[in-house]
Amino acid sequence: MIPSTAHFVWYGPRLQYLHALAIRSAATHGGFERVRLHHADPLDALPHVSALRELPNVEFVPLDDQALCEAVSGPALATLCGALKSPVARANIARVALLCRDGGVYLDMDTLTIRSFDALRAQAPAWIGRERIVFPGFVVRSRDPRVKAKAYAMTAIRDGFRRWPHGYRAFRRIEGRYHLAVNNAVLGGVAGHGLWRAALETMAELPKARWQQSYALGTHLFQRVCESYDGGDFELLPPPLFFPLPPEISAHWFRRYKRGVDVAAAIDPSTLTVHWYASVRTKRVVATMNGEPALRRLEHHQLYSSLACRVLDGAPIPA
């Protein structure tokens, strides 16, 4: 069984409120005995950070990612980790190394956990979630103009649903036409699992010219690893568990609606955590949501705030 431990990884001294809420929600709703924040830098003593320290199952763990990589996989991976400039890329390595060493569930900082992972931890020795996207690795690498043209058409259609008020509801009718691809924002497995070792080996063997490329150590790498892994002892999970609204459509989480919102229409009864894609059009909005009062003001007018307030209040999650 996968250990009852949730792992988060953070680089930098300032932890924003919504990222702290990701940790809090995992601690209160995820069913975890331990929720560990692995932080590479000393954290500013903000009120929401201090509040996390008071939760009995939350642990703050200093992170030396190069030492972690050396211990788990050897000097090649440690060298790669030390050469990376992007905290996102370094976190892509650290999450896999932590799971390989300790086991448990890894969660990105742009998640909001709404239900327990207990049943899923007992389901398989390792698993990874899938999302609906336009540009999986094979489309990016393709030189076929027809493949590219279809992808750009799909992008334009999706953008229309992103702009359309409540477009996330209508998009469900066509989302099956979009590619299924793994996303490493949420991972779970036992320590030493073959999938983690295969991913770490692939990272260590990555050509130096690709070290700084976007997604090279993240989603695109895991897509290749999952395709080639022949262990047969892991599961690919459907999008509703972690990605109920896919990229771009996820912008609706932070859209304001004057006439109220229906959270049940944005999630699924199987949804355990909502990944809201901090990399997709949310940076300015997230910076303004710097405390619970900001959520309360938007509770009836924004999907994310409505769901987050339910989590904070311990209120029932709509099925």
Side-chain angles (χ1 to χ4, degrees), residues 86-98:
S86 167
V88 173
R90 295 181 79 133
N92 279 330
I93 299 177
R95 71 188 67 183
V96 185
L98 286 167

Side-chain angles (χ1 to χ4, degrees), residues 121-278:
R121 290 191 301 104
Q123 182 171 309
W127 41 256
I128 181 171
R130 292 185 290 180
E131 61 182 349
R132 292 284 184 182
I133 61 174
V134 175
F135 289 100
F138 79 89
V139 173
V140 173
R141 296 189 296 270
S142 176
R143 297 184 179 181
D144 187 336
R146 294 170 298 179
V147 173
K148 296 294 188 182
K150 181 180 179 181
Y152 291 126
M154 293 171 70
T155 299
I157 293 169
R158 185 179 63 179
D159 191 61
F161 283 98
R162 175 184 67 83
R163 297 172 184 273
W164 184 9
H166 299 288
Y168 61 93
R169 296 176 180 172
F171 185 76
R172 294 201 186 282
R173 302 173 187 171
I174 64 165
E175 65 181 1
R177 298 178 180 270
Y178 285 72
H179 300 293
L180 272 175
V182 298
N183 185 310
N184 63 334
V186 186
L187 302 166
V190 297
H193 192 274
L195 187 65
W196 313 142
R197 297 201 179 279
L200 293 174
E201 290 171 5
T202 304
M203 291 174 179
E205 295 169 358
L206 193 72
K208 192 172 183 178
R210 298 192 58 205
W211 285 5
Q212 309 295 341
Q213 291 180 2
S214 298
Y215 310 114
L217 292 162
T219 53
H220 289 177
L221 182 138
F222 261 96
Q223 288 165 22
R224 296 200 313 274
V225 169
C226 289
E227 288 171 2
S228 61
Y229 182 73
D230 59 2
D233 55 350
F234 83 104
E235 290 189 11
L236 298 175
L237 303 178
L241 267 72
F242 312 136
F243 310 103
L245 299 186
E248 295 298 328
I249 302 300
S250 62
H252 284 282
W253 283 116
F254 294 97
R255 185 166 182 164
R256 299 188 185 189
Y257 292 99
K258 292 182 179 180
R259 296 184 179 180
V261 293
D262 179 9
V263 171
I267 59 176
D268 185 88
S270 66
T271 302
L272 302 184
T273 193
V274 168
H275 182 251
W276 46 263
Y277 296 94

Side-chain angles (χ1 to χ4, degrees), residues 24 37 54 73 92 165 180 194 199 221-222 238 240 244 278 317:
R24 173 175 288 276
L37 173 59
E54 296 176 2
S73 185
N92 279 330
L180 272 175
L221 182 138
F222 261 96
I317 303 299

Side-chain angles (χ1 to χ4, degrees), residues 21-62:
L21 190 53
I23 300 167
R24 173 175 288 276
S25 66
T28 59
H29 283 63
F32 298 109
E33 294 177 5
R34 293 169 298 278
V35 176
R36 291 175 176 164
L37 173 59
H38 304 267
H39 55 101
D41 305 281
L43 296 172
D44 292 345
L46 300 171
H48 49 267
V49 175
S50 299
L52 284 179
R53 296 184 185 277
E54 296 176 2
L55 295 176
N57 59 339
V58 173
E59 304 172 3
F60 285 68
V61 184

